[in-house]
Amino acid sequence: MRRLLAGLAATIVLVTATACGSSDTSGSSDKNSSSGGTSTVKVGLVPIVDVAPLYLGQAKGIFAKHGLKLEITTAQSGAAIVPGVVSGQFQFGFSNVTSLMIAQTNSVPVQAVVNAIASTGVQGKDFGAITVKGNSPIKSAKDLEGKTVANNALKNINETAVRESVRKAGGDPDKVKFVELAFDQMPAALDSGQVDAAMVVEPALATVKSQGGREIASPFVDVAPNLTIAMYFASTQYTQQSPDVVKKFQEATSESLAYADAHPDEARDIVTTYTKIPAAVLADVVLPKWPAEANRASIEALAKLGESDGLFKSTPDLDKLLP
């Protein structure tokens, strides 16, 4: 645990604070900041299309209706958010489920509290993809053998997914070289030839395509049908100490997920408030699915792949991790 937290803590130093519909930047938590029955909670997010429902829910007053105000901070990956939640820097965080399983099997006290996103389940029409330059000789995931592939976090969900795509294409994933790079840096790195391929998610995927890049595989679809990719979580201590706030967050988030799913144009527009995606590229952004419930079978498939890739010290206990 000590090694895990030390490594993740180094990443969290790079976190950049951003505002989310609030002028309150005092850094106060739900325990000591409330106005008219509204509690301020700090939330760690990755600035990608996945988290649009929270920004939209804040803007539409859904969280306020449930007595919450979100104070949002962004980070490069869910793995970087875990130590912030465990240390109390954030009350809630967004993370892919592999990061949560890694944390749990390293005795880091985390608890998923509500669903976040799922794959579209459609090859070639998902919000995440392995991409290459338009003139690249790479035609399939098998061709990634001996090549360099950018991921936002090493030994995590995207690496596992890419490895599965390589396997399914008949290649050897152990022959692929993975390098760590933030999503928003991947389009330029790919275009300049710094990497041979990049595992990107929206809105970086749309940016890559606008530069003439193309996708060669949909790794999340290769892992499992309708894969649950990420969830919102808290520390186990916080869920025990503040069950009422956790319940409010669960209800407000679930309502925000449903609103985003029913209003895709609004969800797409809100992305421009926390990313630098050009308006001309926005229309090409593929939105993920925002179901209310996690797909347990898909998480089990992801856990099995993670075990085969050596990501966990022990078998994840999904009964304890999932809500």
Side-chain angles (χ1 to χ4, degrees):
M1 174 178 175
R2 199 172 288 170
R3 287 195 299 271
L4 174 71
L5 288 176
L8 295 180
T11 308
I12 204 70
V13 173
L14 302 176
V15 167
T16 303
T18 59
C20 177
S22 168
S23 59
D24 180 5
T25 57
S26 62
S28 52
S29 72
D30 68 284
K31 289 185 178 181
N32 57 22
S33 175
S34 63
S35 176
T38 297
S39 298
T40 297
V41 292
K42 299 177 182 178
V43 185
L45 301 179
V46 182
I48 50 181
V49 71
D50 310 29
V51 298
L54 256 65
Y55 285 91
L56 193 55
Q58 177 98 318
K60 290 294 179 180
I62 294 174
F63 282 91
K65 182 179 71 175
H66 287 273
L68 296 178
K69 180 170 65 173
L70 307 184
E71 185 177 298
I72 291 176
T73 297
T74 60
Q76 177 172 315
S77 67
I81 294 171
V82 170
V85 169
V86 174
S87 69
Q89 181 182 354
F90 311 129
Q91 280 71 61
F92 301 99
F94 168 90
S95 178
N96 70 72
V97 291
T98 294
S99 287
L100 296 180
M101 290 188 286
I102 290 172
Q104 186 200 58
T105 58
N106 279 277
S107 301
V108 179
V110 293
Q111 171 70 57
V113 296
V114 63
N115 198 40
I117 60 155
S119 162
T120 66
V122 182
Q123 280 284 352
K125 296 182 179 179
D126 200 15
F127 75 101
I130 302 173
T131 57
V132 297
K133 288 186 69 172
N135 61 356
S136 171
I138 298 173
K139 304 299 181 184
S140 73
K142 183 181 187 303
D143 298 332
L144 294 176
E145 291 181 347
K147 301 297 191 298
T148 300
V149 180
N151 274 308
N152 73 312
L154 299 180
K155 301 296 182 182
N156 213 291
I157 185 170
N158 286 344
E159 183 172 326
T160 290
V162 171
R163 288 173 64 87
E164 182 65 358
S165 289
V166 173
R167 287 190 196 98
K168 287 194 168 182
D172 182 354
D174 290 337
K175 295 181 179 179
V176 179
K177 180 183 178 181
F178 293 97
V179 296
E180 188 169 304
L181 204 62
F183 285 124
D184 61 0
Q185 295 174 11
M186 291 184 189
L190 190 62
D191 195 50
S192 67
Q194 181 182 339
V195 295
D196 299 304
M199 173 57 199
V200 295
V201 299
E202 296 288 14
L205 176 55
T207 301
V208 168
K209 290 179 179 178
S210 73
Q211 295 174 171
R214 53 187 171 81
E215 55 184 279
I216 61 169
S218 301
F220 297 143
V221 182
D222 286 334
V223 171
N226 305 312
L227 174 66
T228 291
I229 296 167
M231 301 185 73
Y232 295 101
F233 72 103
S235 67
T236 53
Q237 181 181 22
Y238 188 78
T239 62
Q240 294 165 2
Q241 292 181 344
S242 304
D244 291 343
V245 177
V246 171
K247 184 178 180 181
K248 289 178 181 179
F249 184 80
Q250 289 171 324
E251 292 173 345
T253 299
S254 293
E255 187 175 336
S256 297
L257 292 173
Y259 187 91
D261 236 9
H263 300 82
D265 289 340
E266 291 184 47
R268 197 182 302 275
D269 288 343
I270 202 74
V271 175
T272 62
T273 66
Y274 62 92
T275 73
K276 297 178 180 179
I277 184 169
V281 179
L282 184 63
D284 295 324
V285 168
V286 177
L287 298 178
K289 296 295 183 182
W290 289 300
E293 301 294 333
N295 182 332
R296 171 73 178 246
S298 75
I299 297 176
E300 290 172 350
L302 191 60
K304 186 175 181 179
L305 288 175
E307 280 196 272
S308 68
D309 288 339
L311 299 186
F312 313 128
K313 288 186 175 181
S314 58
T315 300
D317 187 341
L318 298 185
D319 289 334
K320 289 184 178 180
L321 181 64
L322 303 179

